[in-house]
Amino acid sequence: MPRPLHRGVSGIRVSGNSNDFWDAEVKDNTEKEDLDRNHSSSQSFLSLRSPFRFFFQDNSPSKYGVTENGFTADPFGGGTPRSRHRLTMLFLKLSLVVIVILALTGSFWWTISISTSSRGHIFRGYRRLQEQLVSDLWDIGELSLGPSRLKEIEFCSEEFENYIPCFNVSENVALGYSDGNEYDRLCGHGSRKSCLVLPPVNYKIPLRWPTGKEVIWVANVKITGQEVFSSGSLTKRMMMLEEDQISFRSASLMFDGVEDYSHQIAEMIGLRNESNLIQAGVRTILDIGCGYGSFGAHLFSKQLLTMCIANYESSGSQVQLTLERGLPAMIGSFNSKQLPYPSLSFDMLHCARCGVDWDKKDGIFLIEADRVLKPGGYFVWTSPLTNVHTFLRDKEKQKRWNFVRDFAENLCWELISQQDETVVWKKTNKKSCYSSRKPGSFPPICSKGQDVESPYYRPLQNCIGGTNSRQWVPIEEGATWPFRSNLNKNELELYGLHSEELVVDTANYKTAVRNYWSLLSPLIFSDHPKRPGDEDPSPPYNMFRNVLDMNARYGGFNAALLEAGKSVWVMNVVPTTGPNYLPLVLDRGYIGVFHNWCEAFPTYPRTYDMVHADGLLSLETSQYRRCTMLDLLTEIDRLLRPEGWVIIHDKAPLIESARALTVQLKWDARVVEIESNSDERLLICQKPFFKRQATS
């Protein structure tokens, strides 16, 4: 495995020509003389008249023309631009031929010099080197051909504006999937579309946080007024549909409101109110079938972090609306596969009329819920099925309730309270509880071979998992939030880390976050055009809300953002191709998921305001080429909101390759040099807002 990239950016320098810094229109001679003097001196971003135009000059035309590599052509060079271009292309093609001849000649003489005794072993290694050489030369050849080969990717048709690869209900039905499994994630060959997803016709940039938590644009999501009023869950009914907006009212009189409901849950646990959940060891909550996220929206003000998961829906999506409100969410279901979270991930699981039949399939859904719940954690279930007055009159409901109650007891859950339609269980914090059950009790304990710490869409298991994990620590025994973010020496040893490693990682990301904001602040708050009625917020707040970290490692980027006072939440993704530190990330009080980046991320388009990738290109290219860099960047484009930002930190050659591909994606892009490390670069990109034309 390659050495991890240095995690800090102690100094930055924007590479490229500075001819485009200045305004072209100057009205008097004095201003012209000032500009000429400033042209030869080094200037900061804040002193520029037009930093936005400078920052993205690579992919935009100028009066001198821009080459494919992003450098401005020399206006004083001899010959016409066309002749110089032809000479350059001829030189590159001749150079390519010479490289191929020298490489093949050298490899031939090297091969015949090998002794006969080791020839078979060496040949296999040489064969791999030769295949890699051909692949690399092919990439070089494509880049040398310039714009003639790097064509822009076409836009997808209107039917794909809410497209999520790997979720195709009609195709799954045709393959024979049923009983809810047709909504499962199924990533196969050809599941991706080689086009860019456009937003709906009347799409508008979401309102800034926290206003956007309560008000979203109707045109941004796939839902109708009828679906709003016909929905029956708690959080779905707490909305008001206006002409072009949906307004959420967390203090709705229906169902006594989310505030009263969360207060009731706290009292059932034995706490004064929901603000005391932090002191009880609760920080992260998995909200199953979350409606439109109102439960998590309310708890956010109490420093509780709620991850919404719900089934894929072709319309009226719970996940899509929750994300549009700036709240954590992703598509996930209990139908047939384990969730891509480690065992013992969450402090609380919540299900309020979530649509999961916990008594079905011999309780296997409850087993999966138990796997991701931390020792001493809480399972909260609100359903008409739990209402005593209801099931006393309905024998079928009483039978279903009795099954869930008895099965929870076999899982070593303690029923601590039951009020109206809400029941609260507490998972045992002692492993000895499982051995004290009656002999032959179902479900059994998983063997070490079955108990995979971080499964990736593995079939559901019918045994109790997590008991073999080193992270078996009851929530009441660990540090509470926010002290939980800084794990102590003994806790880090569980993950094979020294405290110095986490300290260095945190310090490097603090520097990186300061530098990112120094680059982006002038662009967003100075020259970025205001939208009507939208005021510039005071830095450093409200620049972004939904952030995706594609290679989270220890969660250092998340920690640095919170320490800097950014009002964000971060989806920390740990790639399946790298070291698995996801349990560490979750134990720090953050949220995250395991994912294979050669597959589509389980969420709707236009989900994130910022995508961050530190060392991901190095990690993925060190593996066998299962997918291309263009596949990865196209997926980022699908996940990114219009006017959203991408920050990629990696080795210089990989950054240059990625920058060349941004032409195809129509991104504004700029390479930034890191003064403390000449081998690495930053690639800063912004996705333009392309509007689909309305059809008559």
Side-chain angles (χ1 to χ4, degrees):
M1 192 186 79
R3 178 180 61 85
L5 286 170
H6 176 65
R7 297 276 152 193
V9 187
S10 61
I12 52 177
R13 180 164 60 88
V14 181
S15 62
N17 200 315
S18 59
N19 289 334
D20 294 332
F21 283 13
W22 317 106
D23 280 337
E25 297 178 9
V26 182
K27 295 186 179 180
D28 61 352
N29 293 332
T30 302
E31 290 179 349
K32 288 182 179 179
E33 291 172 359
D34 290 339
L35 288 176
D36 290 336
R37 285 194 298 270
N38 291 337
H39 178 71
S40 60
S41 63
S42 174
Q43 297 292 323
S44 67
F45 271 101
L46 294 176
S47 66
L48 299 179
R49 293 285 300 277
S50 183
F52 190 87
R53 195 162 56 248
F54 154 67
F55 201 79
F56 294 124
Q57 65 183 7
D58 281 330
N59 292 345
S60 57
S62 72
K63 62 181 178 180
Y64 300 127
V66 180
T67 68
E68 181 58 32
N69 288 327
F71 297 103
T72 307
D74 182 5
F76 304 108
T80 64
R82 183 179 298 274
S83 64
R84 290 200 304 276
H85 179 71
R86 289 177 178 173
L87 287 173
T88 302
M89 297 307 299
L90 179 60
F91 175 75
L92 289 172
K93 291 176 181 178
L94 288 174
S95 299
L96 183 60
V97 172
V98 171
I99 291 172
V100 173
I101 293 173
L102 290 175
L104 294 179
T105 303
S107 63
F108 172 74
W109 287 110
W110 176 73
T111 303
I112 64 175
S113 66
I114 302 301
S115 63
T116 304
S117 60
S118 60
R119 184 172 298 167
H121 174 73
I122 295 296
F123 177 75
R124 288 191 294 272
Y126 164 71
R127 182 80 175 266
R128 288 193 295 270
L129 288 173
Q130 190 179 48
E131 290 173 351
Q132 184 64 45
L133 173 64
V134 171
S135 176
D136 291 343
L137 290 175
W138 179 265
D139 290 344
I140 294 171
E142 283 199 333
L143 290 174
S144 69
L145 291 175
S148 61
R149 290 295 297 272
L150 292 175
K151 296 180 180 179
E152 291 186 347
I153 301 175
E154 298 295 327
F155 291 117
C156 300
S157 59
E158 185 175 353
E159 61 188 284
F160 292 106
E161 63 188 24
N162 291 293
Y163 172 65
I164 311 172
C166 304
F167 291 92
N168 190 323
V169 177
S170 58
E171 183 177 312
N172 290 351
V173 170
L175 292 173
Y177 292 92
S178 60
D179 195 23
N181 295 332
E182 64 271 21
Y183 294 96
D184 272 356
R185 176 180 178 274
L186 186 64
C187 288
H189 179 70
S191 60
R192 292 179 183 268
K193 299 294 180 184
S194 56
C195 56
L196 302 180
V197 177
L198 275 176
V201 173
N202 297 318
Y203 180 87
K204 297 180 181 179
I205 301 298
L207 300 172
R208 295 188 186 274
W209 180 269
T211 305
K213 180 181 70 173
E214 303 299 340
V215 180
I216 66 173
W217 302 110
V218 174
N220 290 12
V221 293
K222 193 174 183 181
I223 190 170
T224 64
Q226 182 59 37
E227 288 169 330
V228 171
F229 293 116
S230 63
S231 57
S233 75
L234 162 65
T235 50
K236 285 182 181 180
R237 288 180 293 162
M238 295 179 183
M239 14 187 334
M240 294 179 61
L241 187 66
E242 301 176 3
E243 287 186 7
D244 59 350
Q245 296 178 340
I246 297 176
S247 298
F248 297 85
R249 301 289 181 259
S250 60
S252 168
L253 295 177
M254 298 182 182
F255 209 82
D256 294 331
V258 170
E259 185 173 358
D260 289 345
Y261 172 66
S262 58
H263 188 84
Q264 176 192 359
I265 292 173
E267 288 184 333
M268 292 173 70
I269 292 174
L271 305 172
R272 183 175 180 179
N273 54 49
E274 62 271 33
S275 299
N276 296 112
L277 285 169
I278 290 281
Q279 283 69 44
V282 177
R283 157 66 177 172
T284 56
I285 301 170
L286 184 66
D287 195 2
I288 305 163
C290 61
Y292 297 144
S294 292
F295 183 66
H298 171 69
L299 293 181
F300 175 79
S301 62
K302 314 299 180 183
Q303 299 188 60
L304 298 167
L305 192 56
T306 304
M307 164 72 84
C308 159
I309 62 167
N311 284 332
Y312 166 77
E313 299 170 89
S314 57
S315 64
S317 166
Q318 303 172 63
V319 170
Q320 189 182 39
L321 265 75
T322 300
L323 287 163
E324 192 68 21
R325 298 180 67 184
L327 301 167
M330 62 175 282
I331 298 171
S333 74
F334 287 86
N335 286 336
S336 62
K337 301 288 190 348
Q338 289 183 313
L339 297 169
Y341 309 122
S343 300
L344 319 180
S345 291
F346 296 93
D347 306 316
M348 177 184 284
L349 267 63
H350 174 255
C351 163
R353 300 177 181 175
C354 61
V356 177
D357 294 324
W358 298 107
D359 59 309
K360 301 299 182 183
K361 297 187 178 182
D362 298 323
I364 201 167
F365 302 147
L366 285 168
I367 295 175
E368 176 64 3
D370 176 83
R371 184 187 70 82
V372 299
L373 187 62
K374 285 181 178 292
Y378 300 96
F379 183 87
V380 180
W381 184 28
T382 297
S383 168
L385 195 64
T386 66
N387 191 315
V388 177
H389 302 292
T390 300
F391 66 63
L392 286 178
R393 298 190 302 269
D394 190 324
K395 297 300 181 183
E396 179 61 27
K397 286 184 178 180
Q398 185 176 8
K399 179 181 178 181
R400 294 178 63 189
W401 160 248
N402 289 340
F403 176 89
V404 173
R405 182 195 59 198
D406 295 342
F407 199 91
E409 185 177 349
N410 284 340
L411 290 172
C412 286
W413 291 3
E414 177 190 359
L415 198 162
I416 60 175
S417 185
Q418 182 174 4
Q419 291 183 15
D420 302 324
E421 296 186 350
T422 301
V423 183
V424 178
W425 283 276
K426 182 179 177 65
K427 178 177 176 176
T428 184
N429 54 22
K430 298 178 181 178
K431 293 183 183 180
S432 59
C433 175
Y434 302 113
S435 58
S436 65
R437 297 180 304 167
K438 295 178 181 179
S441 294
F442 184 84
I445 303 297
C446 290
S447 65
K448 288 188 177 181
Q450 293 174 301
D451 198 0
V452 177
E453 183 177 59
S454 296
Y456 186 67
Y457 296 106
R458 186 167 167 256
L460 290 170
Q461 303 294 298
N462 59 357
C463 56
I464 299 174
T467 59
N468 295 302
S469 173
R470 294 174 298 173
Q471 286 82 43
W472 183 281
V473 179
I475 63 171
E476 58 266 26
E477 294 181 11
T480 58
W481 181 262
F483 308 104
R484 176 173 170 178
S485 177
N486 299 312
L487 301 180
N488 61 41
K489 179 180 178 180
N490 294 332
E491 291 170 329
L492 289 174
E493 285 179 353
L494 297 175
Y495 308 98
L497 291 177
H498 298 292
S499 56
E500 294 79 10
E501 294 179 85
L502 192 63
V503 169
V504 171
D505 184 72
T506 301
N508 287 338
Y509 272 118
K510 285 181 183 178
T511 303
V513 166
R514 284 197 302 268
N515 286 327
Y516 294 164
W517 254 249
S518 71
L519 285 170
L520 298 179
S521 295
L523 306 183
I524 293 178
F525 296 117
S526 297
D527 286 4
H528 196 284
K530 289 184 182 179
R531 289 176 288 277
D534 192 14
E535 297 181 358
D536 284 346
S538 300
Y541 304 102
N542 304 328
M543 291 173 67
F544 309 106
R545 174 59 186 166
N546 297 1
V547 178
L548 174 68
D549 193 359
M550 300 178 71
N551 187 23
R553 288 175 58 80
Y554 313 144
F557 184 56
N558 194 155
L561 286 170
L562 295 183
E563 188 163 335
K566 314 301 182 187
S567 184
V568 302
W569 68 271
V570 180
M571 177 67 83
N572 295 281
V573 180
V574 172
T576 57
T577 50
N580 180 17
Y581 290 110
L582 186 56
L584 167 65
V585 172
L586 293 162
D587 280 354
R588 296 184 70 181
Y590 309 140
I591 55 174
V593 67
F594 215 40
H595 185 63
N596 177 358
W597 280 117
C598 278
E599 300 173 353
F601 195 73
T603 191
Y604 289 79
R606 303 172 297 280
T607 291
Y608 293 99
D609 305 314
M610 172 191 275
V611 174
H612 177 255
D614 187 355
L616 181 69
L617 301 183
S618 292
L619 179 63
E620 294 296 333
T621 55
S622 67
Q623 309 291 324
Y624 177 74
R625 291 193 175 187
R626 298 164 298 130
C627 54
T628 67
M629 188 183 295
L630 184 59
D631 290 334
L632 188 62
L633 296 180
T634 304
E635 174 64 4
I636 292 175
D637 183 87
R638 187 183 73 85
L639 301 176
L640 197 62
R641 297 190 196 277
E643 299 186 2
W645 295 82
V646 182
I647 299 178
I648 302 176
H649 175 209
D650 224 299
K651 296 176 181 176
L654 292 171
I655 289 294
E656 288 298 335
S657 298
R659 191 207 58 77
L661 294 175
T662 61
V663 176
Q664 296 182 262
L665 297 165
K666 307 174 179 67
W667 291 354
D668 297 318
R670 185 67 183 174
V671 174
V672 181
E673 295 182 2
I674 302 171
E675 293 181 351
S676 62
N677 193 328
S678 60
D679 296 330
E680 298 174 8
R681 299 284 189 275
L682 285 177
L683 179 62
I684 312 288
C685 309
Q686 187 179 33
K687 176 181 175 178
F689 186 178
F690 292 107
K691 289 190 175 183
R692 185 184 298 280
Q693 298 298 320
T695 56
S696 56

